[in-house]
Amino acid sequence: MRVLVAEDHPLLAETIGTGLRREGMAVDVVTDGGEALHRLDATAYDVLVLDRGLPVVSGDDVCRQVGARGLTARVLMLTAAGTLTDRVAGLDLGADDYLTKPFDFPELVARVRALGRRSVAPVPPVLRVADVELDPARRTVTRSGRPVPLTAKEFTLLAYLMARPGRVVSAEELLDHVWDEAANPFTTTVKTTLGRLRAKLGPPPIITTIREGGYRAG
């Protein structure tokens, strides 16, 4: 899942970004509405975590522009104003969900995941390729019934490939959707992570490298 966090408080913005990355999401962080719109135009985000009180361009105006420009990102609006009137106003602007500050981080994660599921085509509750099963809800992977412990990034990479069985996925696409903007496209990040993932899954391999094409599960 690719997430943009737009929050004007730098410490809170980085805290949210770090926490979501630990949940296996690819996260970019900005602190003003003008930069948020620039990123939204350049990248197809699944979810936008949006503070209403942004400088340069307000969060309200960013939310309006998401709808006006036909962008696909689902919007989770954050605000310190928690009255019913405020919540209704935020939803009327086009927000998909609304969370007041202060909030419990597990609730934020759950809401982001729920919005992310709405932004993409539905996938089976449990992904299966050969004898490998991946349960996105429980965040578990098994092979022939044997648990396979994975890091958050390895899990997200495997889930992305298994949700597209038989399709060749380029390294560039994986960088766009599994990593965030901090990933250097000229490094061997994808290849290295796939190497660790294959070693943990064991033989026979379920992920095939397609010469000059990318990677395919199944």
Side-chain angles (χ1 to χ4, degrees):
M1 189 187 305
R2 190 74 183 263
V3 180
L4 178 63
V5 176
E7 162 63 52
D8 71 332
H9 192 291
L11 180 58
L12 178 57
E14 287 301 331
T15 298
I16 294 172
T18 298
L20 293 178
R21 290 185 191 107
R22 288 174 179 166
E23 295 294 323
M25 303 178 197
V27 185
D28 298 328
V29 175
V30 297
T31 55
D32 70 70
E35 183 63 19
L37 289 174
H38 174 73
R39 300 294 182 89
L40 288 162
D41 283 336
T43 303
Y45 290 98
D46 299 300
V47 178
L48 168 62
V49 179
L50 179 65
D51 178 27
R52 285 192 77 175
L54 291 175
V56 183
V57 178
S58 73
D60 287 0
D61 285 338
V62 171
C63 191
R64 290 189 187 96
Q65 286 299 313
V66 169
R69 300 183 187 188
L71 302 176
T72 58
R74 301 288 184 173
V75 179
L76 172 58
M77 188 169 278
L78 301 180
T79 182
T83 68
L84 177 60
T85 301
D86 291 318
R87 292 197 300 272
V88 171
L91 295 172
D92 282 345
L93 289 169
D96 298 280
D97 200 357
Y98 199 98
L99 189 59
T100 57
K101 303 175 184 177
F103 52 81
D104 292 324
F105 193 73
E107 181 178 6
L108 173 68
V109 172
R111 288 173 181 259
V112 169
R113 289 199 188 284
L115 290 178
R117 287 193 294 270
R118 290 166 56 186
S119 70
V120 297
V123 297
V126 176
L127 301 173
R128 295 180 177 87
V129 173
D131 59 346
V132 175
E133 293 191 358
L134 183 148
D135 188 326
R138 294 188 175 90
R139 299 189 66 76
T140 59
V141 176
T142 61
R143 179 150 207 183
S144 297
R146 173 183 62 85
V148 181
L150 300 178
T151 66
K153 190 61 67 181
E154 291 163 355
F155 182 92
T156 305
L157 176 57
L158 180 61
Y160 193 86
L161 291 170
M162 288 182 64
R164 297 155 180 82
R167 179 163 83 78
V168 177
V169 180
S170 68
E172 291 77 11
E173 181 177 344
L174 291 172
L175 281 171
D176 281 344
H177 292 275
V178 179
W179 279 266
D180 54 37
E181 64 177 9
N184 185 338
F186 300 105
T187 65
T188 58
T189 298
V190 174
K191 183 178 179 180
T192 301
T193 306
L194 273 167
R196 294 197 305 265
L197 178 57
R198 283 170 169 150
K200 290 182 178 181
L201 290 171
I206 69 157
I207 301 172
T208 305
T209 299
I210 308 301
R211 187 179 298 274
E212 299 180 359
Y215 306 92
R216 180 177 62 212

